[in-house]
Amino acid sequence: MDIPRLHPDTIEEVKAKVDIIEVIGGHVVLKKRGKDYLGSCPFHQEKSPSFSVSPTKQMYYCFGCQAGGNAITFLMELGKQSFTEVVLDLARRYQVPVQTLEPEQRQELQRRLSQREQLYEIMAITASFYQHALNQPQGEKALTYLKEERTFSDETIQGFQLGYAPAGWETLSNYLIEQKNFPPQAIVSAGLAIARKDGNSYYDRFRDRLMIPICDLRSRVIGFGGRTLSDEQPKYLNSPETELFDKGNTLYGLDRAKDAISKTDRAVVVEGYFDVIALHAAGIDSAVAALGTALSLAQVKQLAKFTESKQIILNFDADKAGNIATERAIGAVFDLAYNNELQLRVVNLSAGKNADDLPIGKDADEFLKKNGHEKYLELLNRAPLWLDWQIEKAIKGKDLTQAEQYQDANQTIIKILQNITDLTTRTIYLKKSALLLSADDARMVPLLIETLQTAIKGLKPLPESKNGETNLPANRFNFIEEGQRQSSKYSTLEVIDYPEQIEEVNYGNETEERDKKQLEIAPVGIHPNQRLIERAEGLLLRIYLHYPIHRLTIIDALDSADLNFTLSHHRFLWEQIINRSSSGYQDSQPEEIDYLDDRLISKLQDSLVEDRVRASRVEHLFNLDEHTAEEIQRSPLVLRAAIACLEKFACEQKRKYYLNKLQSKDPEDLAKKVEYYQSFINIQKRLQELEKQRNVTITDLISFM
């Protein structure tokens, strides 16, 4: 449903009425500690409570995982909902009238929300109706199937709200229309009934089927899956797409599994409803299932929200159809998987063998029955990465001594390796593939590696300087200190952050165009100087956020020295601060900045709720632990040192510029050389002054105590 943009007044009224202690207290056991409340963080496992909630600031912060925000961001993170969804839920909870930007939109929104509420009510009543029917004589066959063939306990049957749709053509429709007084069109809209050709009567969509309710993340019934108890086709019938039910964006069992997924840091995706139920009944609560369709990218992204490591384990049936489903799932998340944004693994059920070396069970449910809970957990723990699964599958069952079969396996592996862009990962899998293709003949491995490299156009090494060291760009920091350079020509260290390349540098009247030639380089890490810069910038931002009295001083200091924040995430936050007016919400225009605004942090958190990636890089600055609070308590001293650190870095860049000009053999007039020399001397003097300002002595500390 496309929900119209909410009016800022609605958001403000919701925020004003919400009590963060009441909201979080519904999910976390909070104990009063001084003026604040303390509890165990719901976003990560911890032995000692470190989750702090402030009723005065209406904010929360975890000193363990650095999660923080207000009541709205808490519910967004906990339920993986959008900003608008959370605000609407809180508006209903605190009886706040919902306003949109246009009156006609407001009326349409209210109408559609009322319609959705009616559909939720119809689905809930229908689920109860099916549950009741299961325990009646007409549902005996379905109940016997669940208990004897599926071996589900009464507790499991009730817990998953399993039911039975009577065989009559109009049993449910008549119940909902005549006894519950719902309009026929609403029942059709819910996907439970179908209109006959005459348009005046309706018949039930589900008849003589075992019924499995499908729920959203809030455990509200939004659809059904029905399994036939006869030879009727299809064997499984799902609800159609409705206002509530979007099959491609829904995973069966996720409402029950999400907490276990977060706790175990992995999600298990199986093929069917009964696989999920069987796994949950066995205590493996992180299992979910796609709904009769191939696993989609949207479903995978939804799952990945609940696991920090982004580990998703596919466990489809151990047959040809299951292998095809696995390949389709891998194809759906191809880019995420190849870019290491997803830790995708595949369970191989055939890895569990009996005494005759035969697979024990073709699906998760059957495997559990024949082999048990512990053996299945072993399979999960040993589940290979999807690349390993694909490579091993390419070779499995082939006689590599036969040229045709060898060539078939070789070509399949080359196609897999061609898509690996990370050099280290590709190198690992080149060796693994060569070992498999060699049939354990170690003498063949080097030749096979070379052959595979040639087939995928090889790995192009980085350019080397005369002394054999890899050339790295001058504008990037080199984390590898002298004497510690890696011997490998392939560098795969992750770039955490570095100042963006400056295409043009202006010093006085001089302009230097930097060489824009693109070098073929590998990523490098962070120089220790950059860590110092990051710390200095972080201290400045913390002082600005938490000590309003120093805000104008910081702005004047930055302006007077012509400084800006170097690191991209700090620069992003600084731009948000400058653009944030005292009443800036949603689309309102920025007004004159109030440097003493004590609600600045709250406003920043609101503005960042839709940009969680960049927000995660800076939200730790919104909170102070005891150590940091003590550190910046002497704000004037810390300000002086931090500003000096940033200016020192800028001066060092200028010093390098003037030194290069002086050492250059380019013909320039004497006046220019004198100007460069004088500028160089001035920079040297300024650097000495800054070094004194940057260093903190015992006398300095005592003077600010």
Side-chain angles (χ1 to χ4, degrees), residues 297-324:
L297 178 61
Q299 289 171 323
V300 170
K301 286 184 175 180
Q302 189 178 16
L303 267 183
K305 292 178 182 178
F306 295 98
T307 164
E308 184 177 349
S309 67
K310 311 303 179 191
Q311 182 179 174
I312 296 174
I313 303 176
L314 303 179
N315 178 198
F316 296 146
D317 292 357
D319 54 17
K320 184 177 180 180
N323 284 332
I324 292 173

Side-chain angles (χ1 to χ4, degrees), residues 542-602:
R542 274 198 168 101
I543 293 172
Y544 191 98
L545 292 169
H546 297 279
Y547 293 83
I549 194 172
H550 295 298
R551 289 175 182 171
L552 198 53
T553 303
I554 292 174
I555 289 179
D556 289 342
L558 292 173
D559 288 344
S560 63
D562 194 23
L563 298 174
N564 196 359
F565 289 89
T566 306
L567 303 182
S568 59
H569 55 290
H570 288 164
R571 189 163 58 250
F572 164 72
L573 179 59
W574 184 246
E575 290 169 358
Q576 295 296 312
I577 289 172
I578 295 304
N579 293 330
R580 188 57 44 202
S581 69
S582 59
S583 61
Y585 288 94
Q586 281 199 338
D587 296 330
S588 59
Q589 294 297 318
E591 301 173 357
E592 183 177 353
I593 297 175
D594 178 7
Y595 294 105
L596 297 178
D597 183 9
D598 59 2
R599 298 173 61 225
L600 176 62
I601 293 177
S602 176

Side-chain angles (χ1 to χ4, degrees), residues 492-619:
T492 56
L493 293 177
E494 179 185 4
V495 174
I496 300 174
D497 201 352
Y498 52 87
E500 294 176 0
Q501 182 174 348
I502 303 171
E503 299 293 349
E504 195 172 87
V505 183
N506 292 288
Y507 299 136
N509 296 323
E510 275 297 312
T511 299
E512 177 187 6
E513 289 292 329
R514 292 199 175 183
D515 184 10
K516 298 181 180 179
K517 182 181 178 181
Q518 298 296 314
L519 296 176
E520 185 180 1
I521 58 172
V524 293
I526 301 179
H527 191 282
N529 282 350
Q530 188 179 352
R531 299 192 183 280
L532 189 63
I533 293 166
E534 182 162 21
R535 180 167 172 74
E537 291 184 355
L539 284 171
L540 281 179
L541 289 167
R542 274 198 168 101
I543 293 172
Y544 191 98
L545 292 169
H546 297 279
Y547 293 83
I549 194 172
H550 295 298
R551 289 175 182 171
L552 198 53
T553 303
I554 292 174
I555 289 179
D556 289 342
L558 292 173
D559 288 344
S560 63
D562 194 23
L563 298 174
N564 196 359
F565 289 89
T566 306
L567 303 182
S568 59
H569 55 290
H570 288 164
R571 189 163 58 250
F572 164 72
L573 179 59
W574 184 246
E575 290 169 358
Q576 295 296 312
I577 289 172
I578 295 304
N579 293 330
R580 188 57 44 202
S581 69
S582 59
S583 61
Y585 288 94
Q586 281 199 338
D587 296 330
S588 59
Q589 294 297 318
E591 301 173 357
E592 183 177 353
I593 297 175
D594 178 7
Y595 294 105
L596 297 178
D597 183 9
D598 59 2
R599 298 173 61 225
L600 176 62
I601 293 177
S602 176
K603 293 177 181 177
L604 287 169
Q605 288 177 319
D606 289 346
S607 69
L608 297 176
V609 293
E610 299 288 13
D611 193 351
R612 297 306 299 162
V613 175
R614 290 202 284 188
S616 66
R617 302 286 305 278
V618 297
E619 59 189 5

Side-chain angles (χ1 to χ4, degrees), residues 20 35-36 53-60 69-71 545-546 598-599 601-602 605 622-624:
I20 195 167
K35 62 179 182 179
D36 295 335
V53 185
S54 171
T56 53
K57 295 181 180 179
Q58 288 290 296
M59 292 166 53
Y60 70 90
N70 56 22
L545 292 169
H546 297 279
D598 59 2
R599 298 173 61 225
I601 293 177
S602 176
Q605 288 177 319
F622 298 151
N623 302 276
L624 295 178

Side-chain angles (χ1 to χ4, degrees), residues 19-42 46 49-55 58-61 74:
D19 179 3
I20 195 167
I21 301 298
E22 180 180 335
V23 170
I24 295 181
H27 304 275
V28 178
V29 177
L30 297 174
K31 294 183 180 180
K32 192 165 178 57
R33 183 74 59 86
K35 62 179 182 179
D36 295 335
Y37 289 78
L38 199 65
S40 295
C41 180
E46 57 181 9
S50 62
F51 186 81
S52 177
V53 185
S54 171
Q58 288 290 296
M59 292 166 53
Y60 70 90
Y61 183 72
F74 176 84

